[in-house]
Structures are given as structure tokens and as C-alpha cells.
Amino acid sequence: MTGTASTPFTGELIDLAAGDYRARIAAVGAAVQSLTLAGRDLILPAPVDAPNAEYRGALVAPWPNRLADGDYTWHGADHHVPVTEASTHTALHGLTCFTAFTVRERAADRAALHLDLVPSPGYPFPLSIDVEHILHEEQGLTTRVTAHHIDVSLGGGAPAPYGVCPHPYLVAGTDDAACWSLDLPARRVLAVDDRKLPAELLPASALFGAEAADGALALADTALDHAFTDLTGGRVAVHSPAGTGAAIAFDHSRLPWVQVYTSGTAVAVEPMTCPPNAFATGTDVIAIDAGDTVLHEWTIDGW
């Protein structure tokens, strides 16, 4: 396995293989550019000749989803990060998605990448982020993300606020996505306002009705861009009537939120450490003290 190609939008592209699985990793954002099983896409591939505007396969850190107006207060200090989504006037998906990681290790079934996240005026916390993608012939693709707070003094003596999530668009099969179903083991959902920011935490049945009781949802005529929590399990799957499917598995005690977005051709499923706008609300934000490290992982597989 070698770095087979490079583009200005992806950086180095690294191909992995294990059994019938194939994955391609992009150095920009340490993203999963593609993942297939026996030639069938399990996620929507990210573009290689244009910016990844839909964040396909992206690694999202140090905050997931939207931050209202780019403003937050942390340990008594006010911070502002650039607004990146004009339509909602929010800062979307952190700082890593369009940053080039360094490829540190590579093998036929594994790639390890590293980023030193440079402190900025809006996020003055130096993080060392290591990402390992491991492809297994039976289990699929596991991603491990380790964040280390290098020096607390640059953040004014405060720990570093942190959140992380993946952003894969799961593909159940080659048929119409409106025919698919979704296994979503969640009991509560964040209702959103017209800026797609959290408004109220409700029972999932308020959004889906009684059909949500067992977590199995038909996707026909269902439009989602919501965060779910109170999870009863750590596996979210999309199924095709043809018998194929794709899923993402994770430790729901460490990733207690899941953002689900239906794009019309796939279903973005994002296990998150904290909900949208968490830096502003403080909900489930991880505080990494100087010298400390946090690890999160997830696995995508198919059938």
C-alpha cells in the first residue's frame, strides 16, 4: 500500500485493503475519502477535485456541528471563532476538516496521521491530534482519535474545551435511499430553530411518533438534521430492502449524542461527544487539562 495520489483538496491519498474492504484516506482532515465492501460504497465518497463542502467522511474537532455566531465563554474568557456557514451565521464543524495532517505511518491496512493544532485567537488551546485508521477484513474500518493538550498556559490557564465526531454519509445499497430504514437507538431528540440550533430536548416520539419506540424508522418522506441522545445502544445502521446495509458502532457512554442528517442520497450519522452549540451552552464539553489525553473511536462496517 502506498500513497497513490495527491490533490490540492485532499493532500496525500492513502489506499487501505483488508479482505473485501477497501478504504481511501485523505491527509487533509484525516478524512475517510471512500470506503467500500466488495466494490459497493458504504459511505458517499468525498470529492478529490473540489473542496469537501458537505464534510463527507471528515474528522470534526475540536467542536462538532454548529456554534451560534462563533461565540463562546470558557472559564471566564470570551472567545470568537470565524463564522463559516453564512446561512445560519454559525461556526460549523470545528477547525480540522480543511487542515492537512502529516502521514506518520502507513501499512497495507493502516494509516496513522498527526496534526499539531496551532492556537488561534478564537481557540488559544494547543492540541496534538493523532488519528489512526485501521481496516479489518471482518470488522470494517475503525478510527481512533487521540487529543492531547500540550500547554495550558497559552489558554490563559484554562483546560482546553473539546468535542469530536466523524461525519460519514452511510449508504445502505444501490437502490433509492427513500426505500431504506434506519436503526436509531435513541429516546430523546433536540428540536432545532430556523438556524438549526438546539431549541428544546424532547422525546424522540415527538418527532417520529410511536414508530420510534423500537428505534426502527422508515426513511421515506423523513427529513432529519437533528441531534439525538439518551441512547440505548452504540450502533446506528441503515438498511436496504435488498438485504445490504452499513452501520457505525461506538461507545455510547463516551459518544452520547448522534447527529443524523438525511441528504436524499445517503444518511449522515455522526456520533458526537457533545451536542450542537455545546461550547456556548457547556453541555457535555470535555475539558482537557494540560498534559492530559482523551481517546475516542468508532467503526464503520457493511454487509
PDB file of all heavy atoms in Angstrom, residues 19-36:
ATOM      1  N   GLY A  19      -9.279  -8.014   3.218  1.00  0.00           N
ATOM      2  CA  GLY A  19     -10.367  -8.846   2.723  1.00  0.00           C
ATOM      3  C   GLY A  19     -11.082  -8.161   1.583  1.00  0.00           C
ATOM      4  O   GLY A  19     -10.444  -7.699   0.622  1.00  0.00           O
ATOM      5  N   ASP A  20     -12.405  -8.070   1.672  1.00  0.00           N
ATOM      6  CA  ASP A  20     -13.189  -7.406   0.627  1.00  0.00           C
ATOM      7  C   ASP A  20     -13.381  -5.914   0.881  1.00  0.00           C
ATOM      8  O   ASP A  20     -14.038  -5.234   0.089  1.00  0.00           O
ATOM      9  CB  ASP A  20     -14.569  -8.073   0.507  1.00  0.00           C
ATOM     10  CG  ASP A  20     -14.499  -9.464  -0.087  1.00  0.00           C
ATOM     11  OD1 ASP A  20     -13.549  -9.736  -0.849  1.00  0.00           O
ATOM     12  OD2 ASP A  20     -15.390 -10.291   0.221  1.00  0.00           O
ATOM     13  N   TYR A  21     -12.826  -5.418   1.978  1.00  0.00           N
ATOM     14  CA  TYR A  21     -12.928  -3.990   2.270  1.00  0.00           C
ATOM     15  C   TYR A  21     -11.804  -3.216   1.592  1.00  0.00           C
ATOM     16  O   TYR A  21     -10.661  -3.681   1.508  1.00  0.00           O
ATOM     17  CB  TYR A  21     -12.834  -3.742   3.780  1.00  0.00           C
ATOM     18  CG  TYR A  21     -14.095  -4.030   4.565  1.00  0.00           C
ATOM     19  CD1 TYR A  21     -14.236  -5.220   5.267  1.00  0.00           C
ATOM     20  CD2 TYR A  21     -15.133  -3.103   4.613  1.00  0.00           C
ATOM     21  CE1 TYR A  21     -15.382  -5.476   6.005  1.00  0.00           C
ATOM     22  CE2 TYR A  21     -16.278  -3.350   5.353  1.00  0.00           C
ATOM     23  CZ  TYR A  21     -16.401  -4.540   6.046  1.00  0.00           C
ATOM     24  OH  TYR A  21     -17.536  -4.791   6.771  1.00  0.00           O
ATOM     25  N   ARG A  22     -12.138  -2.001   1.147  1.00  0.00           N
ATOM     26  CA  ARG A  22     -11.156  -1.052   0.638  1.00  0.00           C
ATOM     27  C   ARG A  22     -11.485   0.317   1.223  1.00  0.00           C
ATOM     28  O   ARG A  22     -12.658   0.694   1.325  1.00  0.00           O
ATOM     29  CB  ARG A  22     -11.190  -0.962  -0.905  1.00  0.00           C
ATOM     30  CG  ARG A  22     -10.890  -2.265  -1.627  1.00  0.00           C
ATOM     31  CD  ARG A  22      -9.430  -2.675  -1.458  1.00  0.00           C
ATOM     32  NE  ARG A  22      -9.118  -3.893  -2.204  1.00  0.00           N
ATOM     33  CZ  ARG A  22      -9.238  -5.124  -1.731  1.00  0.00           C
ATOM     34  NH1 ARG A  22      -9.687  -5.304  -0.492  1.00  0.00           N
ATOM     35  NH2 ARG A  22      -8.942  -6.173  -2.478  1.00  0.00           N
ATOM     36  N   ALA A  23     -10.461   1.052   1.599  1.00  0.00           N
ATOM     37  CA  ALA A  23     -10.649   2.406   2.121  1.00  0.00           C
ATOM     38  C   ALA A  23      -9.603   3.319   1.516  1.00  0.00           C
ATOM     39  O   ALA A  23      -8.489   2.889   1.196  1.00  0.00           O
ATOM     40  CB  ALA A  23     -10.549   2.426   3.648  1.00  0.00           C
ATOM     41  N   ARG A  24      -9.955   4.557   1.359  1.00  0.00           N
ATOM     42  CA  ARG A  24      -9.006   5.587   0.932  1.00  0.00           C
ATOM     43  C   ARG A  24      -9.065   6.717   1.946  1.00  0.00           C
ATOM     44  O   ARG A  24     -10.144   7.239   2.259  1.00  0.00           O
ATOM     45  CB  ARG A  24      -9.323   6.080  -0.473  1.00  0.00           C
ATOM     46  CG  ARG A  24      -8.447   7.236  -0.924  1.00  0.00           C
ATOM     47  CD  ARG A  24      -8.567   7.520  -2.405  1.00  0.00           C
ATOM     48  NE  ARG A  24      -7.669   6.651  -3.168  1.00  0.00           N
ATOM     49  CZ  ARG A  24      -7.371   6.845  -4.451  1.00  0.00           C
ATOM     50  NH1 ARG A  24      -7.908   7.844  -5.121  1.00  0.00           N
ATOM     51  NH2 ARG A  24      -6.545   6.024  -5.074  1.00  0.00           N
ATOM     52  N   ILE A  25      -7.894   7.095   2.463  1.00  0.00           N
ATOM     53  CA  ILE A  25      -7.768   8.117   3.495  1.00  0.00           C
ATOM     54  C   ILE A  25      -7.125   9.359   2.887  1.00  0.00           C
ATOM     55  O   ILE A  25      -6.121   9.255   2.166  1.00  0.00           O
ATOM     56  CB  ILE A  25      -6.910   7.609   4.675  1.00  0.00           C
ATOM     57  CG1 ILE A  25      -7.448   6.280   5.202  1.00  0.00           C
ATOM     58  CG2 ILE A  25      -6.836   8.664   5.764  1.00  0.00           C
ATOM     59  CD1 ILE A  25      -8.867   6.312   5.673  1.00  0.00           C
ATOM     60  N   ALA A  26      -7.684  10.522   3.167  1.00  0.00           N
ATOM     61  CA  ALA A  26      -7.130  11.789   2.699  1.00  0.00           C
ATOM     62  C   ALA A  26      -6.382  12.470   3.835  1.00  0.00           C
ATOM     63  O   ALA A  26      -6.872  12.555   4.960  1.00  0.00           O
ATOM     64  CB  ALA A  26      -8.237  12.697   2.191  1.00  0.00           C
ATOM     65  N   ALA A  27      -5.182  12.972   3.542  1.00  0.00           N
ATOM     66  CA  ALA A  27      -4.397  13.651   4.572  1.00  0.00           C
ATOM     67  C   ALA A  27      -5.066  14.940   5.031  1.00  0.00           C
ATOM     68  O   ALA A  27      -4.961  15.316   6.204  1.00  0.00           O
ATOM     69  CB  ALA A  27      -2.989  13.943   4.050  1.00  0.00           C
ATOM     70  N   VAL A  28      -5.767  15.638   4.137  1.00  0.00           N
ATOM     71  CA  VAL A  28      -6.500  16.835   4.547  1.00  0.00           C
ATOM     72  C   VAL A  28      -7.676  16.403   5.423  1.00  0.00           C
ATOM     73  O   VAL A  28      -8.563  15.665   4.991  1.00  0.00           O
ATOM     74  CB  VAL A  28      -6.985  17.644   3.336  1.00  0.00           C
ATOM     75  CG1 VAL A  28      -7.950  18.745   3.775  1.00  0.00           C
ATOM     76  CG2 VAL A  28      -5.812  18.255   2.585  1.00  0.00           C
ATOM     77  N   GLY A  29      -7.650  16.840   6.671  1.00  0.00           N
ATOM     78  CA  GLY A  29      -8.698  16.480   7.604  1.00  0.00           C
ATOM     79  C   GLY A  29      -8.644  15.066   8.119  1.00  0.00           C
ATOM     80  O   GLY A  29      -9.536  14.654   8.869  1.00  0.00           O
ATOM     81  N   ALA A  30      -7.610  14.276   7.745  1.00  0.00           N
ATOM     82  CA  ALA A  30      -7.543  12.858   8.121  1.00  0.00           C
ATOM     83  C   ALA A  30      -8.849  12.160   7.772  1.00  0.00           C
ATOM     84  O   ALA A  30      -9.316  11.273   8.488  1.00  0.00           O
ATOM     85  CB  ALA A  30      -7.204  12.694   9.596  1.00  0.00           C
ATOM     86  N   ALA A  31      -9.452  12.556   6.654  1.00  0.00           N
ATOM     87  CA  ALA A  31     -10.799  12.127   6.296  1.00  0.00           C
ATOM     88  C   ALA A  31     -10.807  10.743   5.656  1.00  0.00           C
ATOM     89  O   ALA A  31      -9.840  10.332   5.003  1.00  0.00           O
ATOM     90  CB  ALA A  31     -11.428  13.132   5.340  1.00  0.00           C
ATOM     91  N   VAL A  32     -11.924  10.052   5.809  1.00  0.00           N
ATOM     92  CA  VAL A  32     -12.164   8.819   5.070  1.00  0.00           C
ATOM     93  C   VAL A  32     -12.785   9.224   3.740  1.00  0.00           C
ATOM     94  O   VAL A  32     -13.972   9.543   3.662  1.00  0.00           O
ATOM     95  CB  VAL A  32     -13.088   7.864   5.845  1.00  0.00           C
ATOM     96  CG1 VAL A  32     -13.260   6.561   5.075  1.00  0.00           C
ATOM     97  CG2 VAL A  32     -12.539   7.589   7.237  1.00  0.00           C
ATOM     98  N   GLN A  33     -11.961   9.219   2.692  1.00  0.00           N
ATOM     99  CA  GLN A  33     -12.439   9.696   1.389  1.00  0.00           C
ATOM    100  C   GLN A  33     -13.410   8.700   0.765  1.00  0.00           C
ATOM    101  O   GLN A  33     -14.380   9.098   0.114  1.00  0.00           O
ATOM    102  CB  GLN A  33     -11.236   9.947   0.464  1.00  0.00           C
ATOM    103  CG  GLN A  33     -11.551  10.751  -0.776  1.00  0.00           C
ATOM    104  CD  GLN A  33     -12.078   9.889  -1.920  1.00  0.00           C
ATOM    105  OE1 GLN A  33     -11.741   8.707  -2.019  1.00  0.00           O
ATOM    106  NE2 GLN A  33     -12.906  10.469  -2.769  1.00  0.00           N
ATOM    107  N   SER A  34     -13.165   7.397   0.993  1.00  0.00           N
ATOM    108  CA  SER A  34     -14.091   6.379   0.497  1.00  0.00           C
ATOM    109  C   SER A  34     -13.931   5.116   1.320  1.00  0.00           C
ATOM    110  O   SER A  34     -12.882   4.871   1.927  1.00  0.00           O
ATOM    111  CB  SER A  34     -13.858   6.083  -0.988  1.00  0.00           C
ATOM    112  OG  SER A  34     -12.576   5.503  -1.192  1.00  0.00           O
ATOM    113  N   LEU A  35     -14.991   4.302   1.335  1.00  0.00           N
ATOM    114  CA  LEU A  35     -14.979   3.000   1.995  1.00  0.00           C
ATOM    115  C   LEU A  35     -15.932   2.096   1.239  1.00  0.00           C
ATOM    116  O   LEU A  35     -17.104   2.439   1.044  1.00  0.00           O
ATOM    117  CB  LEU A  35     -15.414   3.129   3.460  1.00  0.00           C
ATOM    118  CG  LEU A  35     -15.517   1.818   4.261  1.00  0.00           C
ATOM    119  CD1 LEU A  35     -14.152   1.155   4.399  1.00  0.00           C
ATOM    120  CD2 LEU A  35     -16.129   2.081   5.639  1.00  0.00           C
ATOM    121  N   THR A  36     -15.436   0.945   0.797  1.00  0.00           N
ATOM    122  CA  THR A  36     -16.253   0.020   0.027  1.00  0.00           C
ATOM    123  C   THR A  36     -16.137  -1.388   0.587  1.00  0.00           C
ATOM    124  O   THR A  36     -15.153  -1.747   1.245  1.00  0.00           O
ATOM    125  CB  THR A  36     -15.845  -0.010  -1.457  1.00  0.00           C
ATOM    126  OG1 THR A  36     -14.498  -0.509  -1.563  1.00  0.00           O
ATOM    127  CG2 THR A  36     -15.909   1.374  -2.089  1.00  0.00           C
TER     128      THR A  36
END
